[in-house]
Amino acid sequence: MDTVYSSNSSTTPSSLLFLPLPLIANLKVVIIGAGYVGAPSAAIIAIKCPSVSVTVFDIDRSRIDAWNSDSLPIYEPGLDDLIRQCKKQGNLRFSNNESVVALADLIIVCVQTPTKRFGVGAGHASDLKNIELAARMISRVCASTGGRPRHRIVVEKSTVPVKTAQTLKIVLNPSTAPGNRRPSLSGLSTSSSPSSSSSTSITAVNTFSVISSPEFLAEGTAVADLEKPSRVLIGGDDTIAGRESVRTLAALYAEWVPLEKIITTNLWSSELSKLVANAFLAQRISSINSVSALCEASGADVNEVARAVGTDIRVGPHFLKSSVGFGGSCFKKDILNLVYLFRSYNLHEPALYWESVVKINEWQETRFSHSIVSRLFNTITGKKLAMLGFAFKADTGDCRESAAAAVANSLLQERARLHVFDPKADAAHMFEELETSHQISQSTTPGLNDLFVVETDVYACCLNAHAVIVTTEWPMFKKLDWARIYAGCIKPAFVFDGRNILDHSNLSQIGFSVHAIGKNLAVEAAMHAHAAAVSAVAERASPQGSPLKKGSVGVGGGGGGGGGKDSDDADFKSLNEAVARVLDTTTVELPLPPPSI
Ligand code: UGA
């Protein structure tokens, strides 16, 4: 355990962590929810803390069976290896039997909290049904399994609205609800138990501390994020039990995370920080995506703008990649939840501000789909379009809230025939996302199986297509044989790069008409042609080598400013006339595009 503290206050561990932390040997951890967060988190705790036993419980039997098999239910780089190592080490198991929950000292709740689809707050608020069910199950199972009543720590890891822990506390400790008598704490087994001085009851009951520790891992990099987290956030009550519960969880993480990366806060700050963190990340993407439209209109290049802006250390380079839109099960859900919270507290202006982040995202998806239709001569009815990528990002098979599905929806409304290839997302998840987020199913869209065809071969996907549309940034798409794809396409053949990952210059040379987010490739090509023409003129003017300094000449006379006797007005005038002639007569090769950020 790291006990050497830095004197720099920004890297000093929270004051709660200064005293020696509780011992965690033989701790029993149960994680509820075997999804994208629960299972990888369990695996990392198990591998890093060999003396701790970790059990993952899920009510879905088939999901548990899949985790127990050799074919895991999710794709996450490095996870299958990690799970194999844990199973070999012997301290990680997956179970569908809820009685395992009663054995736990520490219960980590990782259930889904999707956006409510009906009732009060529908479309914005989080559906907390799974959270409450988990709490009721914990309470019931711990009470019914017998044994001496004791104290347990429940960790809220699911992303939840601020104050959810209050509900959990009441469900888990019903006698603490307003109007009820306080519980007896006589069954507590550790010194971390809350003080019983205010207790008047002598009946022994199980008690629970509730703390919050939201997860910040991203899909596709989950294992690396868990192994070296940017921070671990733990929020708890400022009571003896609250503080000791925070310290117990901190002790677990401290087995592999430096103490200065463990931040402790009060419960509500911890819950809220998760929503705000996701909102800030999504807001950066919507900001750069809004700028991408201006880039396309003006001839600026969104990658260049992002690099210029992100190089400022105060802004930073991350999450400034313009795209067809952010997706995933978290960003939209969490921002809408935040918006709902603002409104619940009558804070309408900030609610509008954050809501616009989601609106810009939807606008970007629609803008991209509309540009496809308009460039394909305003009709795509019956045309085969190849869509490359359906997962919401690379390195995952997860299609939830994927921008690709939103684009597919728009194109299907126009009666296009979509052929879709994704290296990891499977057809079942694609159809599920089309139905869940866009109400596209066999019943709403007769003939869907002919209009939306999932391909397993990328070249077959593109064969006879009018356009190839890149919607997920899978690195393999950069390495495709684009000349082969072009040869098989209907002409004129189009590429729409919704992720800015392809070599646009190369594609243009092959013969594609190329369109990319945040770039006006026609303006770019004209500018390159112009630059090439300028140097051709300079070469002609001086057969022994150009006397003009590179980049010192601008058509129109005002630019550049290379200075010196070579750049006087007469030279510019004759140069401009010559450039105009060269632009008329010279075929120029496009140079390579600028490096991407
Ligand atoms: C996000 C956060 O990054 C995690 O910190 C958080 O823990 C997680 O949500 C969660 O709440 O569970 P995730 O949704 O898995 O993680 O993936 P991200 O890498 O954040 O990407 C989200 C979307 O934004 C993807 O569609 C991605 O392609 C897009 N994106 C990302 C961009 O369009 N541009 C960028 O510059 C970055």
Side-chain angles (χ1 to χ4, degrees), residues 336-414:
L336 292 178
N337 189 357
L338 194 63
V339 167
Y340 186 73
L341 281 170
F342 276 117
R343 293 219 167 102
S344 327
Y345 288 99
N346 281 322
L347 298 166
H348 296 288
E349 281 73 15
L352 281 175
Y353 171 73
W354 287 107
E355 198 167 39
S356 71
V357 172
V358 173
K359 288 202 162 129
I360 287 287
N361 198 51
E362 289 167 355
W363 174 76
Q364 181 81 339
E365 291 165 346
T366 308
R367 200 171 74 79
F368 185 67
S369 325
H370 284 181
S371 87
I372 295 171
V373 178
S374 81
R375 292 203 157 98
L376 291 180
F377 316 108
N378 287 315
T379 175
I380 54 171
T381 308
K383 286 181 180 168
K384 174 177 174 180
L385 306 179
M387 181 174 259
L388 302 192
F390 205 81
F392 82 96
K393 64 186 273 196
D395 285 325
T396 179
D398 192 348
C399 301
R400 288 175 294 171
E401 297 289 348
S402 173
V407 172
N409 177 27
S410 297
L411 302 179
L412 287 170
Q413 303 303 328
E414 297 285 335

Side-chain angles (χ1 to χ4, degrees), residues 216-217 219 274 278 319 321 323 327 330-331 392-393 499:
F216 295 104
L217 69 79
E219 285 178 37
K274 170 64 199 240
N278 272 358
F319 273 70
K321 282 197 202 85
S323 67
C330 304
F331 280 178
F392 82 96
K393 64 186 273 196
R499 293 289 186 164

